[in-house]
Amino acid sequence: MAKILIIDDDPDIVEAIKVVLESKGYQVSSARSGKEGLNKIKLDKPHLIILDIMMETNDKGFEVARILKKDKNYEDIPILMLTAIKQKTGLDFKKEAGDEDWLPVDDYVEKPLAANELISKVEKLLEKK
Amino acid sequence: MVEFIQKESLLERIYWLIRLRWIAIVGVITTILFVKNALLIPLVTAPLYGVISFLGIYNLIFLLYLNRLKEKKKPNLVLIANRFANIQISLDLLSLTLLIHFSGGIENPFIFYFIFHMIIASILLSRRASYLQATFATLLLISMVGLEYFGILSHHYLEGFSLRGLYTNKLYIAGVSFVFVSTLYLAVYMASSISEKLRLREQSLKQANLLLEEKDRIKSEYVLRVSHDIKEHLSAIQSCLEPVEDGITGELNLKQKDLIQRAVERTGKLLFFVKALLEISRIKLSKEIEMDYFSLKKTIADATNFIDTRAKNKIISIEFKIDPGLDLIWGAQIYIEETIANLLANCVKYTLKNGKISLEAKDRGNSVLIKVTDTGIGIPKEEIPKVFDEFYRASNAKELERDGTGLGLAIAKQVVERHKGKIWVESEEGKGSTFYILLPKSK
């Protein structure tokens, strides 16, 4: 079954996501910071990453996503971004590569998490792969 | 801010001075006609009309200059406006002296009209500048009287009004000059004392206002921080409850399910409220909101999607009328979409089953008028002025719907005002409401 890594500094959110995904049989691990997340990815490459935006810094999640998508070894891992900021950021997830504001994430889910939405998005991203 | 108010009021007062001058011109002409034709006192009108033309021309030039000055928004506007006011008053004193000279000199009782100039100077200028203007007026008068006395300037006698040769009577000259000069200085003293006091009071009010604004900002920052924190926790609580409610952690019995559902619903409501609080504090604190051209048509369509199901559930019909040529406008699309969605959501919330909602967008040249009408419960007349206040909910709204943050319209107002637009409402209790948003089309 697919391996999923959750990178979020909120242990309760991590636990909630874990419960939901494990119920579907996924193999879930977690990291409490962007830095720890990057290390874990290097040790054991996951099939999908669920990534929070605000961690050590307000945009650590963006930074992690950019690092991963620039690395040939990891660019193929789909990233599902967790965000509490709905549309306010004006983020357009369909922007072309090369744009400076380009955000290399594949999809996003909003906090608080709706279990069904999370599952369907995870399934879709893994299927695509 | 203080600087800005000063500029505004000084410019406004100069406009007032220019208006006064037009009135004075009409007054002088009327007086000349009356004195000449009704009182039959012979006047040499040509030079008098010459002075009046001079007055009219420089007033026109000043008006044009002031309009240009206002547009340019120079940084040292206060200084320029001050100098400008000084020049105007000096020119006025000169004009009045000339008018008096050509109509009897020291024998003309209109000589005391100099007092008005002193009062105007005291209102517009600093105390020192006002005394300088009084000194200038004194010099002008003494020169005129002196030059006429020594015959260097011809004296224009007011036949039938004053005694012949009065302008060479030393005692008369001395008496009138003394009273004249002392009147000028006393007038400046009194008027500037009063205006100084008013100026000080104005200043302290401004300061108090700034302080209040600063306190309000601090309060908003506090609210922002607190609500942000609360939101994080609520998000986590709800994220933990969700899988349990959905039965992911195992089947729940009915009572468990009911209680969990209640908990989810309540945290949901609280989350909604906290988000609204966050949003209004964020808008208040943000110095700039990113804006661009966006499609109003698409924005309206997106905003409507947001309430479609709720409207259908209550069998409420929604009608659209968007002027065909209307599309791109300048603004923060997300905020405008949310504002329109907010108004529509209110319409659905406070309209009973089988009601009607209509949304119109009208092209108004430089601006666009968005009109959202419902056949809902309306707003009691005396409560209309308060509906845009933070946390205010109309009494009948509270009766119909227990839940509501009282922030929706306050946020809408903030958003519209940040776009330099206007928002207002017309409503009749029991019949429905119409909300209007007027937005500028471009930057």
Side-chain angles (χ1 to χ4, degrees):
Chain A
M1 200 60 186
K3 282 185 284 187
I4 297 175
L5 176 68
I6 307 165
I7 309 176
D8 193 332
D9 60 350
D10 186 329
D12 299 322
I13 297 269
V14 169
E15 202 49 43
I17 298 175
K18 248 188 189 168
V19 166
V20 171
L21 295 178
E22 279 172 353
S23 77
K24 291 282 159 186
Y26 294 112
Q27 200 184 319
V28 186
S29 57
S30 63
R32 294 280 294 274
S33 68
K35 207 176 147 198
E36 192 193 335
L38 286 172
N39 286 334
K40 283 207 168 171
I41 293 163
K42 276 171 202 159
L43 288 174
D44 184 10
K45 189 177 164 186
H47 297 102
L48 181 124
I49 296 166
I50 295 177
L51 182 60
D52 188 25
I53 298 177
M54 281 162 89
M55 289 183 289
E56 302 99 295
T57 57
N58 279 351
D59 60 350
K60 188 69 186 179
F62 292 159
E63 199 189 312
V64 170
R66 284 196 197 103
I67 291 170
L68 290 174
K69 291 292 176 183
K70 267 186 209 151
D71 195 319
K72 282 215 172 87
N73 295 319
Y74 308 114
E75 62 179 6
D76 59 326
I77 311 174
I79 298 175
L80 180 61
M81 190 151 261
L82 280 181
T83 167
I85 341 164
K86 196 186 174 184
Q87 297 157 303
K88 274 288 141 55
T89 50
L91 298 179
D92 186 347
F93 291 92
K94 283 163 210 139
K95 271 194 180 164
E96 297 287 319
D99 190 317
E100 216 175 288
D101 298 324
W102 179 57
L103 256 181
V105 296
D106 302 85
D107 204 350
Y108 69 106
V109 273
E110 241 192 289
K111 280 185 195 174
L113 298 157
N116 292 329
E117 193 193 348
L118 178 68
I119 290 167
S120 77
K121 288 204 167 165
V122 165
E123 278 170 356
K124 218 163 114 194
L125 287 178
L126 286 171
E127 242 170 58
K128 244 196 247 169
K129 213 185 147 196
Chain B
M1 192 70 190
V2 174
E3 181 87 329
F4 175 74
I5 293 171
Q6 268 182 354
K7 274 181 211 168
E8 286 294 294
S9 65
L10 188 60
L11 285 183
E12 229 167 76
R13 282 173 192 164
I14 295 176
Y15 272 115
W16 168 70
L17 183 57
I18 287 174
R19 274 201 304 279
L20 275 183
R21 204 172 285 120
W22 294 127
I23 296 170
I25 289 171
V26 174
V28 173
I29 294 172
T30 320
T31 311
I32 292 171
L33 290 175
F34 179 74
V35 168
K36 205 170 171 210
N37 300 312
L39 301 181
L40 300 171
I41 297 171
L43 284 176
V44 198
T45 47
L48 290 175
Y49 286 129
V51 176
I52 292 168
S53 314
F54 169 62
L55 204 65
I57 288 166
Y58 79 65
N59 205 28
L60 194 65
I61 293 171
F62 285 162
L63 182 64
L64 296 175
Y65 176 70
L66 193 60
N67 284 339
R68 239 188 56 199
L69 201 67
K70 206 175 162 192
E71 273 167 28
K72 270 192 182 167
K73 285 180 184 149
K74 283 187 181 173
N76 52 347
L77 196 65
V78 173
L79 198 77
I80 295 173
N82 238 314
R83 206 174 292 157
F84 185 45
N86 255 310
I87 292 170
Q88 288 190 61
I89 291 168
S90 298
L91 273 175
D92 287 343
L93 292 174
L94 185 68
S95 306
L96 181 59
T97 311
L98 287 172
L99 283 174
I100 301 259
H101 162 65
F102 288 118
S103 57
I106 198 166
E107 294 159 13
N108 186 339
F110 278 111
I111 201 167
F112 283 96
Y113 269 39
F114 276 99
I115 294 170
F116 298 132
H117 295 75
M118 294 305 108
I119 293 170
I120 289 170
S122 306
I123 293 169
L124 286 177
L125 309 174
S126 67
R127 191 180 273 245
R128 200 173 130 254
S130 309
Y131 278 119
L132 279 175
Q133 293 287 0
T135 309
F136 181 57
T138 306
L139 282 176
L140 281 173
L141 178 95
I142 289 172
S143 316
M144 179 195 77
V145 172
L147 290 172
E148 283 187 24
Y149 178 82
F150 292 111
I152 300 167
L153 280 179
S154 57
H155 175 72
H156 299 271
Y157 174 53
L158 289 179
E159 177 98 53
F161 180 77
S162 59
L163 292 171
R164 193 171 277 278
L166 202 53
Y167 74 103
T168 52
N169 181 328
K170 279 179 197 154
L171 196 62
Y172 179 78
I173 291 174
V176 170
S177 300
F178 174 75
V179 177
F180 175 81
V181 172
S182 55
T183 307
L184 290 193
Y185 282 98
L186 280 173
V188 169
Y189 171 73
M190 288 177 181
S192 64
S193 299
I194 295 168
S195 73
E196 195 113 313
K197 258 183 209 157
L198 287 176
R199 240 176 262 173
L200 282 177
R201 185 164 305 168
E202 207 179 338
Q203 204 104 40
S204 74
L205 278 177
K206 266 177 232 156
Q207 229 119 42
N209 210 17
L210 278 182
L211 203 70
L212 280 178
E213 270 173 29
E214 174 62 13
K215 288 223 163 119
D216 191 56
R217 200 186 55 78
I218 292 170
K219 188 210 75 190
S220 295
E221 250 166 28
Y222 174 80
V223 173
L224 185 78
R225 195 167 303 169
V226 171
S227 44
H228 189 268
D229 262 18
I230 296 175
K231 202 194 76 178
E232 291 281 290
H233 294 302
L234 283 173
S235 263
I237 295 171
Q238 240 195 354
S239 301
C240 289
L241 287 173
E242 259 274 334
V244 180
E245 188 197 16
D246 285 358
I248 288 170
T249 53
E251 205 58 43
L252 299 176
N253 67 37
L254 278 177
K255 274 185 187 159
Q256 285 168 330
K257 195 163 174 117
D258 177 54
L259 287 178
I260 290 283
Q261 262 167 0
R262 283 171 191 270
V264 170
E265 202 178 309
R266 281 307 269 272
T267 45
K269 278 177 191 169
L270 192 50
L271 202 54
F272 185 75
F273 175 66
V274 169
K275 276 184 185 165
L277 258 185
L278 251 181
E279 175 146 16
I280 196 161
S281 333
R282 230 179 240 147
I283 299 174
K284 276 188 187 169
L285 288 170
S286 64
K287 288 196 182 77
E288 247 175 87
I289 296 178
E290 219 174 284
M291 298 194 186
D292 205 345
Y293 282 99
F294 67 91
S295 162
L296 182 65
K297 265 186 200 162
K298 189 174 175 302
T299 302
I300 289 175
D302 289 347
T304 318
N305 278 338
F306 182 72
I307 54 133
D308 241 5
T309 359
R310 268 179 278 173
K312 271 184 195 133
N313 288 342
K314 281 177 95 173
I315 326 174
I316 292 171
S317 67
I318 310 177
E319 193 187 310
F320 294 95
K321 248 192 250 163
I322 299 170
D323 277 358
L326 198 59
D327 198 19
L328 290 185
I329 67 165
W330 176 261
Q333 191 270 338
I334 296 293
Y335 282 104
I336 298 297
E337 179 184 326
E338 214 172 55
T339 303
I340 296 171
N342 229 325
L343 291 185
L344 287 171
N346 267 350
C347 291
V348 176
K349 196 169 171 184
Y350 299 116
T351 298
L352 305 175
K353 261 192 179 173
N354 299 314
K356 257 192 215 161
I357 296 174
S358 77
L359 192 155
E360 280 179 66
K362 289 180 178 173
D363 198 337
R364 282 282 164 91
N366 289 328
S367 47
V368 50
L369 182 73
I370 301 166
K371 195 175 154 191
V372 183
T373 308
D374 66 26
T375 55
I377 58 171
I379 305 163
K381 205 177 169 192
E382 60 283 3
E383 296 185 52
I384 287 178
K386 291 188 239 165
V387 291
F388 292 102
D389 292 354
E390 281 168 45
F391 304 110
Y392 190 83
R393 294 188 67 212
S395 50
N396 56 345
K398 278 191 270 188
E399 239 169 73
L400 186 75
E401 276 279 345
R402 206 173 70 106
D403 296 316
T405 60
L407 285 172
L409 290 176
I411 294 173
K413 188 167 180 257
Q414 287 279 346
V415 169
V416 171
E417 282 173 1
R418 287 305 283 268
H419 282 77
K420 297 194 176 77
K422 271 186 204 156
I423 184 167
W424 71 98
V425 63
E426 283 167 8
S427 181
E428 197 176 326
E429 195 176 1
K431 288 204 169 160
S433 309
T434 303
F435 282 86
Y436 296 88
I437 298 177
L438 190 69
L439 289 172
K441 259 199 221 159
S442 47
K443 245 190 229 182

